[in-house]
Structure formats: structure tokens, C-alpha cells
Amino acid sequence: MRSRARRGGLPLPPGPLGIPWLGNVIGLDVAQPWVTYTKYGEKYGGLVYTKLLGQDLIVINDEEVAIELLERRSAIYSGRPVIATNELFGMDFNTGLLQYGPHWKFHRKLFHTALRAEAAQSYDQLQMSKARQFVRSLAKSPERFEEHLKTLSASIIMAITYGYDAQPEEDPFVEKVEQLIGMFLTALTPERAALIGAIPFLAHIPSWMPGGRYKLRANECRELAQKVLSEPYEFVKQKRAEGTAKKSMVSDLLDAEHSSKEVSEYDMEKEIMAVATTVFLGGAETTYSSVYTFLLAMILYPDVQRKAQDEIDQVVGHDRLPDFADRPNLPYIEGVLRETLRWHHSTPVALPHATTDSDVYKGYYIPKGALLLVNLWAMTHNPRQFASPELFMPERYLDSPGHVAEKPFSHPFGFGRRICPGRYVADGSVWATIVSVLATFRIVNAKDGNGESIEVKEEFLSGLAVRPKPFRCGFEKRWNGVETILGD
Ligand code: HEM
């Protein structure tokens, strides 16, 4: 433990007392640690220090602190924890896990080239057509909405990244990447990562020893990661050679000009593959979770659903489906989107950061190498900023009827240099889906054998992204002729 003398006499930020080694892991709600961290925040404030399995852990619970540290002092607060399993599992290509430095900056440049706001807009029509495909699938088999949602999120990402039309079921590329995520998830959450960080020899044991099964799993994961990286990339190259490649992130990056320094420093193909695979890892499940959360909110808040549909009816009518050109005229839908991303955030503690140097904030010592959790949940559920934060209220984003307020928004995509580079794509995909579903269907409780409504609960599951516990619901067509407008 760092002595006070070594800290220049400065105290660490307040927090629950740490027991060396085991720290305060007992008492942590492992299924939803952000709830425990938020309680710490209520007791100790916006910046909390504790120990997790012998590791310094700092939790940021407050938006102002986040802006100060992650934005104004971003050079110190943009690292990632060193986690032996990333390399062991062959996941060290992932932009989100790269250490702060030139390699990570180069990845961010590739993201900027391909998915910055203007570039992301070029995928509007693609996103809208996938959202309408989703609505058509709902019309045919509403009871399979979960599968359709999975197809939607995977197919948007595969189309944007590789110009590839994913099959609705058993798509060979999608299946492999989902299998990869499943294998890696066991080691990804910050709490598990801290555990593995605390027991680094796990990375070195031979596969025949106790715990060796873990290592065999890592070998399998590494082999699978190689396939996931190269196979869809080779697909794009083949299509380009045939002259039939569709617009995509990979194609744009192959066409982009890179400086001679970058070309000599990096294996360009390897980096493009890495960034492209990161898009699936970062984008598919978060999009899926967000739309799923929206569906849950619409069942639990029928009045919100009705207001949203009234707005669409007034602006769009029933002769056509809404499009991106309607977006400025649909402020309430904007509120529904923002509230979807706030109410039950899909990544409530973002991705773990690490400090790359020591620092002093408001008289508190922040150690170098501390694990840093950005508790977006605490910020999006701060009652001073969001009255009755547990309620789904799109109105909170409208400062006068029909006008979207500049503030408050809840930083659903994080802060500073590590802010989500897929935020423009995510925003477009979720908006297109929300507006298309609301225009065409009433989302209602499913009925049991006796015709009684099946109750739906506000319950969530953790994973790569937090998503609602599976529930059943119904989709009723909102007007005669929906099918004609939807087409085949
Ligand atoms: C609703 C959907 C999404 C949400 C809520 C979301 C949210 C976030 C958050 C909170 C972070 C962590 C920021 C930090 O480390 O402080 C993040 C990182 C990241 N996201 Fe997203 N994201 C979404 C969709 C996407 C999409 C569609 C992509 C890809 C196109 C993407 C790619 C990434 C990447 C690569 C990172 C890591 C950035 C880095 O470490 O530099 N995300 N996202």
C-alpha cells in the first residue's frame, strides 16, 4: 500500500476502508457493481478510492469530475489496465483494450477516417433499410423478435464494416464472432480482470495443471480470433478484386491515404483487420441491448409510446415510413432515443481506464496505475440532474414543447479521448430502428393461454453489454395497410 509519506503527505480520495489483498470485494454486488459504486458515491462523493483485490481502484461518480479528469487531464486518465488475458486470449488487437500511446492513436485515426460524423452519415440509408427489414421480420414472426433483433444488430455492423449481407440465421462470420465474444467474456469485466491481474501466474501455467483448462480455452480463443480477424477481411478483398465490393469501412480504409511514416511503422492490413473486428465487438451487442431496452420501456410506459406515435403520425402520416430527413421534426422521438441510452445504459461503467501517471485532484492523491471506473450509471441516475431518474421520461430533454434542449444529456458514450468512436453509427442505427418500429407497431404485453397479459419486469442481465432479461411481448400493426407500405 502506498504510504502517506510517498504521497507527499496527501490523502487518497475518500472511500470504504480497504483490507490489503482481498480489499473490499466482499460487499460488491458482482452482478451490478455500478449500483455498489453509486452507493459509495452517495456516501463519499464524486471521486471514491478503494481497493479491489490489492489493486488501487478509483471510481468517478460525478459528471464534473469526469470532465475535469478525463477531458481536461486526458493525458493521465486515458490508459487501460494491463490485463494478461488480453494477449493470452488473442484479443490484444482490440482498440478498446490497447494501451494509451501511438498504436492506439493510429487506431483512433482509422476510426475517425471511416466513422466520424460525416462519414457515418453515408450509412444512413443502409441503417434505415436494415431497420425496415427488421420491421418486416417482426410482421411475419413477431414472437421471434429477439432473434430478429440479433440479426438486425449483426447485419448493420457487418454491412457497414465489410459491405457484407449477413444471413438471418447461422451466418458463418457472425457465428464465429459471437462464439469469440462468449469465450472472451469470462475474462473481460473489470472485476474479473482485477482478479486475473491479481493472480498473473494464471497466464503461465501449463495446460495439464489444475487451471490448465483455462489455458486451453485461451488457445482456442486465440485461434478463433485469428479467423474472425482475417476471414471477413479476405471477403472484402475478394469482392474488390472482382469489382463488386460495396461501400464499407474496410474498403474506405484500403482506399485511404496513409502517411509514409504510418506505412513503414504498421502492417496496414493487420491494423485494418483489427479495427474492423473491434467494430463488431464494440457495436453489435451495444446496439442490440439498446434496442431491447427501448422495447422494454415501450411496454412499461404505454403513454410514452402513444405520444411518440402521435408525433410520428402528425409529421409522417400513414402513407410512407419515416426517414432520416424527418429527424429534425421529431423531437419527442429524440427524447425517446436519449432516454433509452440513459435509463438503463448498456455499458454502465464504460470500459475500465487506468492512470498512466500520478496526479493530485482537489488535494487528493491519485496513484499511477490505478484502475479507474467511470460510473456512467451514477451520472445518469443523479437525481440533481435527472429528476426521478428511475423513470423513463423523454420530456426531460425538451425545454419547450417541440424543442430539444442542449442539456442535459447523459454522456452515454463516455468522455475524453477514449470516447466511443462508434457513437455516430450507434446513434443512427438505434434511431432508425426506434422510429421504424414505432411507426408501424403497437408494442404490447404478450397474452397467455387464457388471454391474460403477461407481466413484464424491469430486470436486466450483465454481459458484454447490459440488456433486459428476456421477456415476451406482442407487436400489433398500427393501421391497415402497414404490410403494403413495408413491402417484401
Ligand atoms: C448504443 C451503442 C453504444 C454505446 C452506448 C457505446 C458506449 C461506449 C462507451 C461508454 C465506451 C467506453 C468509453 C471509455 O472508455 O471511457 C465505448 C468505447 C468504445 N466503443 Fe462504443 N458504444 C456503442 C456503440 C458502438 C459502436 C456501434 C461501435 C463501433 C462502430 C463502438 C466502438 C467502440 C470502441 C472501439 C470503443 C473503445 C474506444 C477506445 O478505447 O479508444 N461502440 N463505447
Side-chain angles (χ1 to χ4, degrees):
M1 210 183 181
R2 280 168 188 77
S3 73
R4 201 167 171 121
R6 281 183 57 200
R7 295 189 248 123
L10 293 172
L12 292 160
L17 278 180
I19 307 160
W21 183 241
L22 262 182
N24 291 295
V25 77
I26 301 152
L28 183 77
D29 181 346
V30 182
Q32 15 174 26
W34 50 91
V35 172
T36 307
Y37 300 143
T38 304
K39 284 189 188 136
Y40 290 172
E42 284 158 14
K43 188 160 177 199
Y44 300 104
L47 191 68
V48 172
Y49 172 88
T50 188
K51 282 254 179 196
L52 184 69
L53 295 161
Q55 159 91 52
D56 292 314
L57 172 65
I58 307 263
V59 183
I60 302 181
N61 282 310
D62 181 87
E63 187 184 334
E64 261 178 49
V65 182
I67 290 173
E68 175 60 33
L69 301 187
L70 300 169
E71 300 199 336
R72 301 204 187 102
R73 305 186 195 185
S74 56
I76 297 177
Y77 292 89
S78 303
R80 293 284 190 220
V82 178
I83 299 171
T85 42
N86 291 347
E87 204 182 331
L88 194 69
F89 279 70
M91 299 298 273
D92 47 339
F93 65 83
N94 185 339
T95 313
L97 306 176
L98 287 183
Q99 289 304 322
Y100 182 65
H103 188 192
W104 166 79
K105 279 189 187 155
F106 182 57
H107 271 215
R108 292 294 302 221
K109 190 180 159 203
L110 297 181
F111 267 106
H112 181 77
T113 304
L115 299 183
R116 66 184 187 281
E118 312 87 80
Q121 254 181 25
S122 62
Y123 295 110
D124 278 2
Q125 287 321 308
L126 186 154
Q127 287 165 312
M128 193 49 88
S129 91
K130 295 286 179 194
R132 290 181 186 171
Q133 222 164 296
F134 172 61
V135 172
R136 274 196 289 275
S137 303
L138 285 180
K140 286 186 189 133
S141 45
E143 70 290 348
R144 290 172 56 203
F145 79 93
E146 229 187 312
E147 283 167 59
H148 301 322
L149 188 48
K150 232 181 173 108
T151 303
L152 167 82
S153 49
S155 68
I156 290 184
I157 293 291
M158 293 304 277
I160 291 179
T161 314
Y162 304 105
Y164 172 77
D165 276 325
Q167 293 161 30
E169 281 166 45
E170 295 176 16
D171 184 273
F173 294 150
V174 174
E175 279 201 337
K176 280 197 192 100
V177 74
E178 280 175 352
Q179 201 187 338
L180 180 71
I181 293 172
M183 288 176 97
F184 185 63
L185 253 186
T186 45
L188 195 76
T189 68
E191 292 70 26
R192 286 196 187 118
L195 180 67
I196 288 151
I199 316 170
F201 66 80
L202 271 179
H204 302 293
I205 48 172
S207 35
W208 48 266
M209 276 181 67
R213 195 118 71 85
Y214 172 84
K215 200 161 178 195
L216 278 179
R217 197 176 167 80
N219 290 347
E220 274 174 49
C221 190
R222 222 171 27 242
E223 277 168 29
L224 186 60
Q226 274 316 309
K227 288 190 187 147
V228 167
L229 282 158
S230 60
E231 288 178 3
Y233 177 80
E234 292 303 330
F235 163 86
V236 180
K237 279 185 57 182
Q238 190 193 330
K239 290 287 167 194
R240 281 166 66 91
E242 291 166 3
T244 55
K246 292 188 186 157
K247 177 182 164 51
S248 70
M249 176 182 188
V250 166
S251 220
D252 287 352
L253 291 179
L254 285 168
D255 289 334
E257 301 228 342
H258 306 287
S259 73
S260 51
K261 183 167 176 284
E262 286 161 355
V263 172
S264 68
E265 215 158 306
Y266 298 109
D267 175 344
M268 212 49 80
E269 288 213 312
K270 198 170 145 224
E271 301 306 339
I272 295 176
M273 279 186 223
V275 165
T277 307
T278 300
V279 170
F280 197 102
L281 300 180
E285 202 152 322
T286 42
T287 306
Y288 168 86
S289 303
S290 303
V291 176
Y292 212 152
T293 298
F294 152 77
L295 294 175
L296 176 65
M298 291 305 100
I299 296 186
L300 295 176
Y301 292 85
D303 288 349
V304 169
Q305 182 178 174
R306 209 167 308 118
K307 278 190 203 165
Q309 286 166 335
D310 285 350
E311 184 179 80
I312 296 175
D313 290 350
Q314 272 174 25
V315 173
V316 181
H318 288 177
D319 305 329
R320 65 180 179 91
L321 292 171
D323 216 326
F324 275 95
D326 298 309
R327 190 163 177 177
N329 302 321
L330 296 169
Y332 195 80
I333 302 297
E334 211 59 37
V336 173
L337 169 71
R338 291 182 180 200
E339 196 62 344
T340 295
L341 298 178
R342 182 202 69 83
W343 182 56
H344 279 277
H345 197 284
S346 58
T347 51
V349 275
L351 288 175
H353 287 228
T355 49
T356 49
D357 207 343
S358 58
D359 192 22
V360 176
Y361 175 72
K362 292 199 170 166
Y364 293 119
Y365 181 79
I366 313 285
K368 177 178 175 177
L371 185 66
L372 189 80
L373 296 182
V374 185
N375 190 1
L376 297 174
W377 175 269
M379 300 178 208
T380 56
H381 290 77
N382 178 347
R384 287 188 303 282
Q385 203 168 350
F386 301 98
S388 307
E390 70 287 358
L391 300 181
F392 191 96
M393 289 173 23
E395 289 81 5
R396 59 172 101 242
Y397 300 98
L398 308 178
D399 56 6
S400 57
H403 189 260
V404 182
E406 272 304 305
K407 275 242 161 189
F409 198 19
S410 52
H411 296 277
F413 297 109
F415 298 83
R417 297 191 193 180
R418 286 283 187 172
I419 193 170
C420 174
R423 59 197 181 281
Y424 305 110
V425 165
D427 172 88
S429 300
V430 180
W431 188 85
T433 309
I434 284 179
V435 82
S436 303
V437 173
L438 284 171
T440 44
F441 293 108
R442 239 183 326 274
I443 307 147
V444 293
N445 291 78
K447 300 267 191 303
D448 65 16
N450 300 324
E452 297 292 327
S453 281
I454 300 173
E455 201 194 334
V456 169
K457 291 200 181 122
E458 193 179 329
E459 290 176 335
F460 285 75
L461 294 175
S462 298
L464 192 60
V466 174
R467 61 195 187 286
K469 232 178 184 175
F471 57 85
R472 287 177 58 197
C473 68
F475 294 87
E476 291 175 354
K477 286 165 202 150
R478 287 191 55 229
W479 76 90
N480 289 334
V482 164
E483 294 94 334
T484 322
I485 286 193
L486 283 174
D488 284 327

